[in-house]
Amino acid sequence: MPRSTGRVTLPIQEGIDDQLRELVALLGADAVRNSDGTDLPAIASELVDTVYSTYFPARGDQDFALAHPETLINQYLMSERVTAPSDRPLVIEVLEGYFADQFQPCYERVERFWEVIDRTTGEVVPPQGWSVDRERGTLTIARPRAWHVYTVSFLAEQLWDSTQMYNYITNGWQDEPGRLKERPYDVRKNGVWEHSRAALAAWLEEHPEVDVVRFTTFFYHFTLVFNTEGRERFVDWFGYSASVSPEALDAFEAEYGYALRAEDFVDAGYYNSPFRPPSRAFRDWIDFTSRFVAARAKELVDLVHARGRRAMMFLGDNWIGTEPYGPHFASIGLDAVVGSAGSAATTRLISDIPGVECTEVRLLPYFFPDVFNHDGGDPVGQANDFWLSSRRAIVRRPLDRMGYGGYASLALEFPGFVARAAEICQEFRDIHDLSGGREPWCAPFTVGVLNSWGALRSWQTHMVAHAQWYKACYTYAGVLESLAGLPFTVRFLSFDEVLDSGVPEDIGVLVNAGAAATAFSGGPAWDDPRLAEALRAWVARGGGLIGVGEPSAWDKGGAFLQLGDVLGVDRERQLTLSTDRYPTLVPRHPITEDLPRDAQGMALLDHGEGAGGDVYALGPGTQVLSYADGSVRVAAKGFGRGRAVYFSGLPYSEVNSRTLQRALYWAAGREDLVEEWWTSSPHTEIAWYPRAGRFLVINNARQAVRTTVRGQGRTWDLEIGAMGCRWVEVGSRQDGQDGRPGRGGPSLPGGATRPDGGA
Amino acid sequence: MPRSTGRVTLPIQEGIDDQLRELVALLGADAVRNSDGTDLPAIASELVDTVYSTYFPARGDQDFALAHPETLINQYLMSERVTAPSDRPLVIEVLEGYFADQFQPCYERVERFWEVIDRTTGEVVPPQGWSVDRERGTLTIARPRAWHVYTVSFLAEQLWDSTQMYNYITNGWQDEPGRLKERPYDVRKNGVWEHSRAALAAWLEEHPEVDVVRFTTFFYHFTLVFNTEGRERFVDWFGYSASVSPEALDAFEAEYGYALRAEDFVDAGYYNSPFRPPSRAFRDWIDFTSRFVAARAKELVDLVHARGRRAMMFLGDNWIGTEPYGPHFASIGLDAVVGSAGSAATTRLISDIPGVECTEVRLLPYFFPDVFNHDGGDPVGQANDFWLSSRRAIVRRPLDRMGYGGYASLALEFPGFVARAAEICQEFRDIHDLSGGREPWCAPFTVGVLNSWGALRSWQTHMVAHAQWYKACYTYAGVLESLAGLPFTVRFLSFDEVLDSGVPEDIGVLVNAGAAATAFSGGPAWDDPRLAEALRAWVARGGGLIGVGEPSAWDKGGAFLQLGDVLGVDRERQLTLSTDRYPTLVPRHPITEDLPRDAQGMALLDHGEGAGGDVYALGPGTQVLSYADGSVRVAAKGFGRGRAVYFSGLPYSEVNSRTLQRALYWAAGREDLVEEWWTSSPHTEIAWYPRAGRFLVINNARQAVRTTVRGQGRTWDLEIGAMGCRWVEVGSRQDGQDGRPGRGGPSLPGGATRPDGGA
């Protein structure tokens, strides 16, 4: 039995009542939930203080969906790219390559909503130049130009909700009688909104046992498209392609005074991936959709509150329009947000959300048969992986609650997993209980992450399918993954913000990390000379700048990295090979103390996939701290009263994370901080709680380690078990050097006792 | 003593007469020469049939140079990039970082010839905004914009010829009394031209022993700039930066009707590197300079001819304006060209030069103390390296002559080297004697290499400092290095040519190989839709296309590789990560038969540095033949009646060269040719001489190999010694399947007997 209880939500289901009782006790759970495809058992309210229920505003009522096929949710799609082999009529089957179970074309006002583009010239083929055959699902271009490439951008209708399709396929529901392929409906369409309100009201009446309505989610799914074989074809967790409709586009035009084109969504096939520097039109659409979703979601939340329940949102699935760091999110009035923790960065993405009383992470693995099987599945290994990742973040910014998702019956088949989960739950509660309700000490300056998105996409850079690993991304994602567990206040800034108001006062170091031409490096933002001007001036006044990969990349005026003069490096693109390079190699430097050494004694950074090519120092004033294969990996340089550090890549690792910490200290001119609350072993990290007078050291390694802690001029030698942690009493509480208080309001439900408010 | 003699030129010098006699006999040399810094001994004419002498039209007369300091050769330079820390006057020392022994500023009409640019905005600062202090060598910008980056482009005067400086420093001449730092003078400047003509005439009178005047070279040196420490700072073997002068710029303006700016030469610091897509202005300048140099050089050559001597040009050093594949070269009327063979491609660069009677390669190593020393120098190893590289090319397109350069006295210290050189000379002569004076059989279609330069830079792609290895280049240079020894007629085509006249009839396969934004891939050339249109149509009609690296790269219309639809692949730039890829993997294919295999049985191409990032297949129709780390390395695809092959990189290796040969056959629809004159061992290559009725097999490996030759339905099993070769009589001569005849005219001097004409 656990030392304490509470703060934990478990998924439950019908038919295993006794086992559930045991599981709830073992994990100290105080809340339960159902999942997509399971129902709450009658004993739910007996088991715990609080009962959550999933609620699907966009697909929960399939009788309604089938009776109102005109309300299907739309989506913008682009056909395959088709090369015209002659100037004779070119027939394009618009849905070729897509999943027939997922989409059908929407033929409403095709002249307005469809668009044919000659991609070889960029010219739009006017509607008079093409015709649509609704029987065959084809579009014919009457007189194409031979050997030009054409695409058709078109509105489709979604016949199947993307997440439910994923769950259906993953769990093999085709063999279970009664399973529907659930159709989504659009609250903008005729009658849907009125029905949705009424349905929620009725459902609340019918479900008095539910304390918390877990919206999963609201109205529009992120972009998730399947191919002809039912395999994933396109996935963008941030994608707005399925938030469109003739109604929405008309409303946008009426409000904004200009009409959006299909190309504003299809974006030449890039579909406004978050890696694309965002267009004005797309930013407007995000704002337009977010305001609409927030207003409607608020009405549903109000209904929930009016009936004495609490409202929680799952951050995922049909979450489009609810960007939690956007300006409209708080207006929804949610009590809580729950999201999946696939990494430290995604854990911080949840825990840092402003404007809600309670945040909860759904830890992984999800109790699905892809992991919970006896044919090579390794639920314990995955639990350890994800806990070690998430714990780093939880220590820095405690979440109110944790939980799991999926089918409890599956988890119960793995007693080893259940035992490990019980340990994790206890460790999670301990962080709350022993920290004194305060966040740990942070460095006395804020780290600003600078990109095209800024605060809107806090903790969300370099993400494609949520926390999924991508070869192209890990080299950059490591920056946030490191920061998520380091003792810094982190703030996300957009280029526009810096242009409008300058670098905020609290920022000590700015980080620009990304590949050329992406929103994270900035792309065309660097064409504006005011940006480089502002940042040069800021660094010269004493600021710190850290660039990773291809920071400030924009081909202009003989430089590729526009802040190359500050960073001291530039990226070779086979255009400056004539210039000889004589880098100033600096084998020892405070930044690189933890890195391994090459045969020449130089520090050797693991830079992942690197910067996409070679990097050279621009002159002898650049200190090259890591240099391999004729290319700079780490460089440091003074610029006026400030400092700059360059990394060619920074995938997450224990040692890279510490190296980033050192670089942040150095760039801020505070390398002295390495003496304060620092652990000798890179496997370990420390959190110091001055008011509680104790610190926590976590061991991120799979083996026991010895580590020495330095702080306040004292040292502690500690041995910490594999993946373990140690709380150490310092003996004197210090109010002066305090961390921020934790989330102010009561958690939902919080602690081990039932909170006020009857949730 | 050698089996035969002739076709070999040796460098000689004073003071070692007896040893020279022995050396000439051993190597079968029939010509001798002096080098920069050595004089011909009196016995020169006794030793051999033909005596060459170096002649330096741009620096040969230092008395004249010192007496006429106003005739120094100019050069366009760019200052360091200087960031203005405020809007107060910004002082830029224009020569900072340059070698004071090499340059001084040229202050003639600074308002016209100097240019100050704000690189942060791209704006030119008008001359009223700056002033020049000639005492201090500084330029002051009166009111810069704070935190903008400025550069000064300025004319300098060359105080020291670049090659002579290199030789001086490399050989430590500072310790030899009487050695001058030779100043170059410009034939455009007052009196120089008249002096040059007269000096050559007088010199010819004074040197009756000289049969061949070896111009080294004419008037303008390629760009070779040294830094403050006398180390190389910038080297571009194609650079025209030192072909400028106020006189030339004025003449250009008068003729072309527009004035060139400093920026037309300085090019934001890229200095019109051949990797830069060439501007119209730069192309005009090349043509302007080439016409001028050709006209003046012709006059010198005429002088030589008038006195019964022959004229040879060294392709290098002061060769700017003599591009040998340009339209003006033949008009010079040279008898011969000699150039350095650093690779197979540079050997072909010499041997394929049109419009001269004789081509000669100077084999490496050069007899200089950097290689010929007893402190780790390895002249035999280098001789083997370079011979194996060059021999592949010589077999395909025989050179008339070979030779060496430098100081014979150094070579004589290494008897092992002399012995190896004797073998090489004999092997060289045998190729001439046994081939029947014909080139070997070639595939029945021409390979076209397509880039911005076309024929002008035949065999000269991806070169920086001649054949020097560059990490950024070898991945692409391997294409030409392979082709230089393969049985194909190779032709270099420019985009403009294809746009103007289409793909020539004889072309079977086009190759576009290069990194994005370079002249070799094409950069902005691909913005013209007519180019993709023409090439798609041509492939669809049955043509073959091979793309390497980032072929046809230009970011437009949702594609990065504009011919991606033909090649079946595109380059990932973190903008299409949302799209799932399911490549069609094809483990066995005629193209990849020689490649090693990975654990999954897929072919594994060594692609060098690769394409600068990941490559993905665009659909199931693309056959992915090599796939590693989630990225396509080789792909094949049909397109209409044609075929396309993609390689992510193709550094030269025996197996990559054969793989390119297979790909060329396959792309042309002639994979049947793999049965005809093909060797089983990738270490070996074959040349078939139908008229002579024999073939030559060369072994490129350092060990003996067994190989089976297939041809005409027969097979031959051969064993060939390390680095050796074998001539095999087939028994029947075949006139039908003949190779091209060799160079028509008599060589200079040719064969083992003294040619007509008294050279």
Side-chain angles (χ1 to χ4, degrees):
Chain A
M1 284 304 103
R3 246 197 334 271
S4 63
T5 61
R7 297 195 181 276
V8 173
T9 307
L10 280 187
I12 59 172
Q13 67 201 77
E14 292 178 308
I16 50 169
D17 288 1
D18 288 349
Q19 290 160 284
L20 288 179
R21 282 193 184 91
E22 205 176 321
L23 188 65
V24 162
L26 206 57
L27 272 60
D30 60 345
V32 293
R33 53 167 289 211
N34 63 343
S35 294
D36 188 18
T38 57
D39 292 318
L40 288 166
I43 58 153
S45 303
E46 286 172 36
L47 287 172
V48 289
D49 298 319
T50 311
V51 174
Y52 300 0
S53 175
T54 52
Y55 190 86
F56 302 97
R59 61 173 165 107
D61 188 341
Q62 286 299 301
D63 294 336
F64 176 84
L66 290 166
H68 297 84
E70 77 288 358
T71 64
L72 289 171
I73 283 185
N74 293 115
Q75 183 154 348
Y76 255 125
L77 298 177
M78 190 180 86
S79 74
E80 296 281 6
R81 298 167 64 91
V82 179
T83 306
S86 73
D87 57 5
R88 289 190 295 277
L90 180 68
V91 181
I92 298 176
E93 189 192 327
V94 298
L95 273 175
E96 189 187 339
Y98 290 100
F99 192 30
D101 284 6
Q102 187 178 16
F103 294 116
Q104 63 190 17
C106 168
Y107 294 111
E108 182 174 342
R109 287 180 279 162
V110 291
E111 302 77 14
R112 163 70 183 93
F113 297 120
W114 289 32
E115 198 167 51
V116 178
I117 297 184
D118 176 343
R119 296 291 180 186
T120 304
T121 63
E123 291 161 5
V124 174
V125 180
Q128 309 88 279
W130 46 266
S131 57
V132 172
D133 182 334
R134 298 184 182 201
E135 294 298 308
R136 293 193 170 80
T138 59
L139 181 146
T140 302
I141 303 169
R143 286 191 57 81
R145 290 168 69 178
W147 306 113
H148 284 223
V149 174
Y150 289 90
T151 61
V152 179
S153 306
F154 62 102
L155 270 184
E157 290 169 345
Q158 285 189 46
L159 297 168
W160 199 354
D161 176 81
S162 305
T163 285
Q164 204 258 345
M165 172 165 41
Y166 173 82
N167 291 343
Y168 188 104
I169 293 169
T170 307
N171 288 290
W173 288 348
Q174 69 278 5
D175 303 326
E176 296 186 20
R179 289 287 188 190
L180 294 173
K181 295 178 173 179
E182 296 186 4
R183 294 181 158 212
Y185 34 84
D186 188 339
V187 288
R188 281 194 186 268
K189 303 219 174 183
N190 196 22
V192 174
W193 175 236
E194 294 70 21
H195 173 76
S196 294
R197 281 177 53 90
L200 176 60
W203 184 88
L204 288 165
E205 289 303 318
E206 289 157 21
H207 293 280
E209 77 282 7
V210 173
D211 303 300
V212 177
V213 180
R214 186 181 186 277
F215 286 103
T216 310
T217 310
F218 289 107
F219 313 124
Y220 301 109
H221 203 284
F222 66 81
T223 309
L224 181 57
V225 173
F226 289 71
N227 71 11
T228 41
E229 291 148 30
R231 299 172 76 185
E232 188 182 280
R233 175 187 164 103
F234 187 97
V235 57
D236 174 5
W237 196 66
F238 299 91
Y240 278 71
S241 301
S243 68
V244 295
S245 61
E247 292 79 359
L249 290 163
D250 289 344
F252 181 94
E253 186 176 353
E255 182 178 342
Y256 284 75
Y258 73 99
L260 293 175
R261 295 168 47 195
E263 183 67 0
D264 289 321
F265 297 93
V266 156
D267 183 27
Y270 303 117
Y271 295 97
N272 297 305
S273 147
F275 290 73
R276 291 272 285 174
S279 66
R280 184 75 258 155
F282 184 52
R283 288 171 181 276
D284 283 350
W285 182 260
I286 291 176
D287 199 62
F288 171 78
T289 301
S290 297
R291 277 189 291 110
F292 173 80
V293 167
R296 292 289 160 98
K298 177 183 191 309
E299 289 197 47
L300 298 186
V301 168
D302 285 349
L303 270 178
V304 170
H305 286 163
R307 278 147 187 87
R309 323 294 177 83
R310 293 213 165 189
M312 172 178 256
M313 180 186 101
F314 172 63
L315 187 73
D317 300 352
N318 311 58
W319 75 293
I320 295 304
T322 69
E323 304 223 32
Y325 294 88
H328 311 297
F329 177 74
S331 71
I332 300 173
L334 287 159
D335 301 290
V337 176
V338 59
S340 176
S343 60
T346 48
T347 303
R348 287 295 290 269
L349 160 57
I350 303 299
S351 66
D352 282 22
I353 292 174
V356 288
E357 287 185 0
C358 169
T359 56
E360 175 173 322
V361 283
R362 193 189 67 198
L363 290 183
L364 289 171
Y366 203 75
F367 304 166
F368 256 18
D370 51 350
V371 174
F372 286 82
N373 64 67
H374 299 282
D375 188 28
D378 181 18
V380 174
Q382 291 224 359
N384 286 333
D385 288 347
F386 288 114
W387 175 241
L388 290 181
S389 297
S390 285
R391 184 176 65 180
R392 294 182 60 240
I394 293 168
V395 165
R396 302 308 324 171
R397 186 83 188 243
L399 288 143
D400 303 288
R401 303 183 51 77
M402 58 164 279
Y404 290 99
Y407 309 132
S409 55
L410 278 175
L412 287 163
E413 293 179 28
F414 293 83
F417 170 79
V418 172
R420 181 62 181 132
E423 290 173 1
I424 287 169
C425 292
Q426 187 59 54
E427 222 177 300
F428 181 88
R429 282 186 292 265
D430 287 348
I431 291 171
H432 277 269
D433 296 345
L434 299 174
S435 66
R438 293 262 160 175
E439 292 184 13
W441 174 86
C442 269
F445 58 87
T446 298
V447 175
V449 177
L450 182 65
N451 59 42
S452 299
W453 293 110
L456 181 70
R457 298 272 164 94
S458 296
W459 297 109
Q460 294 159 81
T461 76
H462 296 96
M463 289 173 65
V464 181
H466 198 247
Q468 196 170 316
W469 185 91
Y470 280 76
K471 180 188 176 197
C473 299
Y474 77 94
T475 300
Y476 293 107
V479 175
L480 288 200
E481 189 64 10
S482 297
L483 284 173
L486 289 176
F488 298 99
T489 304
V490 181
R491 196 169 154 174
F492 293 80
L493 295 168
S494 71
F495 302 119
D496 287 345
E497 244 175 298
V498 169
L499 284 177
D500 289 349
S501 345
V503 179
E505 271 303 309
D506 58 324
I507 302 291
V509 182
L510 279 174
V511 180
N512 179 232
T518 66
F520 305 119
S521 169
W526 295 102
D527 194 31
D528 185 340
R530 295 178 306 148
L531 187 56
E533 206 179 306
L535 291 170
R536 285 186 188 120
W538 180 78
V539 176
R541 282 199 306 270
L545 175 70
I546 294 185
V548 182
E550 297 177 299
S552 74
W554 185 250
D555 185 7
K556 186 177 174 180
F560 188 57
L561 304 188
Q562 289 300 309
L563 291 181
D565 60 324
V566 181
L567 294 162
V569 297
D570 208 339
R571 252 274 275 120
E572 180 56 74
R573 294 168 306 137
Q574 308 203 354
L575 300 178
T576 68
L577 300 174
S578 288
T579 302
D580 297 274
R581 311 290 177 187
Y582 303 98
T584 304
L585 302 183
V586 178
R588 311 296 309 190
H589 190 279
I591 293 174
T592 53
E593 282 303 298
D594 288 314
L595 291 178
R597 302 277 141 186
D598 67 16
Q600 285 73 46
M602 285 293 291
L604 186 62
L605 176 78
D606 169 5
H607 71 160
E609 305 294 313
D614 288 347
V615 176
Y616 54 85
L618 281 163
T622 304
Q623 296 195 296
V624 176
L625 312 185
S626 178
Y627 188 77
D629 304 324
S631 187
V632 174
R633 293 195 175 183
V634 186
K637 184 171 175 290
F639 186 84
R641 292 201 298 277
R643 288 171 171 182
V645 183
Y646 173 80
F647 292 100
S648 52
L650 208 73
Y652 175 74
S653 70
E654 291 164 353
V655 80
N656 280 3
S657 177
R658 276 164 76 92
T659 302
L660 176 61
Q661 184 176 0
R662 287 177 173 278
L664 287 162
Y665 286 164
W666 186 84
R670 291 303 306 272
E671 54 270 40
D672 61 296
L673 292 173
V674 172
E675 294 299 316
E676 200 60 15
W677 303 117
W678 187 262
T679 60
S680 62
S681 164
H683 296 307
T684 60
E685 292 180 294
I686 183 169
W688 158 237
Y689 300 91
R691 188 172 292 194
R694 56 171 79 96
F695 62 78
L696 168 65
V697 179
I698 56 175
N699 175 12
N700 296 321
R702 307 306 171 108
Q703 72 277 6
V705 297
R706 297 197 62 84
T707 193
T708 301
V709 169
R710 285 199 306 248
Q712 300 188 332
R714 294 172 61 185
T715 60
W716 293 261
D717 290 320
L718 304 174
E719 176 153 0
I720 309 180
M723 302 183 282
C725 65
R726 280 281 294 275
W727 287 92
V728 175
E729 303 290 327
V730 171
S732 68
R733 300 189 180 192
Q734 298 197 336
D735 291 347
Q737 203 189 25
D738 208 358
R740 289 187 298 184
R743 211 169 278 278
S747 60
L748 171 96
T753 56
R754 195 180 174 96
D756 296 341
Chain B
M1 284 305 101
R3 242 193 343 268
S4 63
T5 60
R7 297 194 180 276
V8 171
T9 307
L10 281 188
I12 59 173
Q13 67 200 76
E14 293 177 306
I16 50 170
D17 289 0
D18 289 347
Q19 290 160 285
L20 288 179
R21 281 192 185 90
E22 205 176 320
L23 188 64
V24 163
L26 207 56
L27 272 60
D30 59 346
V32 292
R33 53 168 289 211
N34 65 341
S35 294
D36 189 19
T38 57
D39 292 318
L40 286 167
I43 58 152
S45 302
E46 285 172 36
L47 288 172
V48 289
D49 300 318
T50 311
V51 174
Y52 300 179
S53 175
T54 52
Y55 190 86
F56 302 96
R59 61 174 165 106
D61 187 342
Q62 286 300 300
D63 293 337
F64 177 85
L66 290 166
H68 297 85
E70 77 288 0
T71 64
L72 289 172
I73 282 185
N74 292 115
Q75 182 154 348
Y76 255 126
L77 297 177
M78 190 180 87
S79 74
E80 297 281 5
R81 299 166 64 90
V82 179
T83 306
S86 73
D87 57 5
R88 287 189 295 277
L90 180 68
V91 181
I92 297 176
E93 190 192 328
V94 297
L95 273 175
E96 189 188 339
Y98 290 100
F99 192 31
D101 283 7
Q102 187 178 17
F103 295 115
Q104 63 191 15
C106 168
Y107 294 112
E108 182 174 341
R109 287 180 280 162
V110 291
E111 301 77 13
R112 162 71 182 93
F113 297 119
W114 290 31
E115 197 168 53
V116 178
I117 297 184
D118 176 343
R119 296 291 179 185
T120 304
T121 64
E123 291 160 5
V124 174
V125 180
Q128 309 88 280
W130 46 266
S131 57
V132 172
D133 182 334
R134 298 183 182 203
E135 293 299 308
R136 293 193 170 82
T138 58
L139 182 146
T140 302
I141 303 168
R143 286 193 56 81
R145 290 168 70 178
W147 306 113
H148 284 222
V149 173
Y150 290 89
T151 62
V152 179
S153 307
F154 62 103
L155 269 184
E157 289 169 346
Q158 286 188 47
L159 297 168
W160 199 354
D161 175 81
S162 306
T163 285
Q164 205 259 347
M165 171 164 43
Y166 173 82
N167 291 343
Y168 189 105
I169 294 169
T170 307
N171 289 290
W173 289 346
Q174 70 278 5
D175 303 326
E176 296 185 21
R179 289 285 187 191
L180 295 172
K181 295 179 174 179
E182 297 186 4
R183 292 182 162 214
Y185 33 83
D186 189 339
V187 288
R188 282 195 185 266
K189 303 219 174 182
N190 197 23
V192 174
W193 175 235
E194 295 70 20
H195 173 76
S196 294
R197 280 178 52 92
L200 176 60
W203 185 88
L204 288 166
E205 290 301 320
E206 289 159 21
H207 293 280
E209 77 284 6
V210 173
D211 304 299
V212 177
V213 180
R214 185 182 186 279
F215 286 104
T216 309
T217 313
F218 289 107
F219 313 124
Y220 301 110
H221 203 284
F222 65 82
T223 310
L224 180 58
V225 173
F226 289 70
N227 70 12
T228 41
E229 291 148 30
R231 298 172 77 185
E232 188 182 279
R233 176 189 165 100
F234 187 96
V235 56
D236 174 6
W237 197 66
F238 299 91
Y240 278 71
S241 301
S243 66
V244 296
S245 62
E247 292 79 0
L249 291 162
D250 288 343
F252 180 95
E253 185 175 354
E255 181 178 343
Y256 284 75
Y258 73 98
L260 292 175
R261 294 168 48 194
E263 182 68 0
D264 289 321
F265 296 93
V266 157
D267 182 26
Y270 303 117
Y271 295 96
N272 297 304
S273 150
F275 289 73
R276 290 274 285 175
S279 66
R280 184 75 259 156
F282 185 52
R283 288 171 182 276
D284 283 349
W285 182 259
I286 291 176
D287 199 62
F288 171 77
T289 301
S290 298
R291 276 188 293 112
F292 173 80
V293 167
R296 292 289 160 98
K298 178 183 190 311
E299 290 196 46
L300 298 187
V301 168
D302 286 349
L303 271 177
V304 171
H305 286 162
R307 279 146 187 88
R309 323 293 178 83
R310 295 213 164 188
M312 173 179 253
M313 178 186 104
F314 173 63
L315 187 74
D317 299 355
N318 311 58
W319 75 293
I320 294 303
T322 70
E323 303 224 30
Y325 295 87
H328 311 297
F329 178 74
S331 71
I332 301 174
L334 286 160
D335 300 290
V337 177
V338 59
S340 176
S343 60
T346 49
T347 303
R348 287 294 291 268
L349 160 58
I350 303 299
S351 65
D352 283 22
I353 291 174
V356 288
E357 285 185 0
C358 170
T359 57
E360 174 174 323
V361 284
R362 194 188 67 200
L363 290 184
L364 291 170
Y366 203 77
F367 304 166
F368 257 18
D370 50 352
V371 173
F372 286 81
N373 64 67
H374 300 281
D375 189 27
D378 181 18
V380 174
Q382 290 223 1
N384 286 333
D385 287 348
F386 287 115
W387 175 240
L388 291 181
S389 297
S390 285
R391 184 176 65 178
R392 294 183 60 241
I394 293 169
V395 165
R396 301 307 324 170
R397 185 84 190 244
L399 288 143
D400 303 289
R401 302 185 51 79
M402 58 165 280
Y404 289 100
Y407 309 132
S409 55
L410 279 175
L412 286 162
E413 293 179 30
F414 294 82
F417 171 79
V418 172
R420 182 62 182 133
E423 291 172 0
I424 287 170
C425 292
Q426 188 60 55
E427 221 178 301
F428 181 87
R429 281 187 293 266
D430 287 347
I431 291 170
H432 277 270
D433 296 344
L434 298 174
S435 67
R438 294 261 159 175
E439 292 183 14
W441 173 86
C442 269
F445 58 87
T446 299
V447 174
V449 177
L450 182 66
N451 59 43
S452 300
W453 292 110
L456 182 70
R457 299 271 165 94
S458 295
W459 297 109
Q460 294 159 81
T461 76
H462 297 98
M463 289 174 65
V464 180
H466 198 247
Q468 197 169 316
W469 185 92
Y470 280 75
K471 181 188 175 196
C473 299
Y474 77 94
T475 300
Y476 293 108
V479 175
L480 288 199
E481 190 63 10
S482 297
L483 284 174
L486 290 177
F488 299 98
T489 304
V490 180
R491 197 169 153 175
F492 293 81
L493 296 168
S494 72
F495 302 118
D496 287 346
E497 245 175 298
V498 169
L499 285 177
D500 290 349
S501 346
V503 179
E505 271 301 311
D506 58 323
I507 302 291
V509 182
L510 280 174
V511 179
N512 180 232
T518 65
F520 305 118
S521 170
W526 295 102
D527 194 31
D528 185 339
R530 295 177 306 146
L531 186 58
E533 207 178 306
L535 292 170
R536 285 186 188 120
W538 179 78
V539 176
R541 283 199 305 271
L545 175 71
I546 294 185
V548 182
E550 297 177 297
S552 73
W554 186 251
D555 185 7
K556 185 176 176 183
F560 188 56
L561 305 188
Q562 288 301 308
L563 291 181
D565 59 325
V566 180
L567 295 162
V569 298
D570 209 339
R571 252 276 275 118
E572 180 55 73
R573 294 168 306 138
Q574 308 202 356
L575 300 178
T576 69
L577 300 174
S578 287
T579 301
D580 296 274
R581 311 290 177 189
Y582 304 98
T584 304
L585 301 183
V586 178
R588 310 297 309 191
H589 191 280
I591 294 174
T592 53
E593 282 303 298
D594 288 315
L595 291 177
R597 304 275 141 187
D598 68 15
Q600 284 73 46
M602 285 293 292
L604 187 61
L605 176 80
D606 169 6
H607 71 162
E609 304 295 314
D614 288 346
V615 176
Y616 54 85
L618 281 164
T622 304
Q623 296 195 296
V624 176
L625 312 185
S626 179
Y627 189 77
D629 304 324
S631 187
V632 174
R633 293 195 175 183
V634 186
K637 184 170 174 292
F639 185 83
R641 292 201 297 278
R643 288 172 170 180
V645 183
Y646 173 81
F647 292 101
S648 53
L650 207 73
Y652 175 74
S653 70
E654 291 165 352
V655 79
N656 279 4
S657 177
R658 279 164 72 91
T659 302
L660 176 60
Q661 184 176 359
R662 287 176 172 279
L664 288 163
Y665 286 165
W666 187 85
R670 292 302 307 271
E671 53 270 39
D672 60 297
L673 292 172
V674 172
E675 293 300 317
E676 200 59 17
W677 303 117
W678 187 263
T679 60
S680 62
S681 165
H683 296 308
T684 61
E685 292 180 293
I686 183 169
W688 157 236
Y689 300 90
R691 189 171 290 195
R694 57 171 78 97
F695 62 78
L696 168 65
V697 179
I698 56 174
N699 175 12
N700 297 321
R702 307 305 170 108
Q703 72 277 7
V705 296
R706 297 196 62 85
T707 192
T708 300
V709 169
R710 285 198 306 248
Q712 298 187 334
R714 295 173 61 187
T715 59
W716 290 262
D717 289 318
L718 304 173
E719 176 151 2
I720 309 180
M723 301 183 284
C725 64
R726 277 282 293 277
W727 287 91
V728 175
E729 303 290 328
V730 170
S732 67
R733 298 189 180 193
Q734 299 197 336
D735 290 347
Q737 203 190 24
D738 208 0
R740 290 188 298 183
R743 210 170 277 278
S747 61
L748 173 93
T753 56
R754 195 177 174 98
D756 298 340

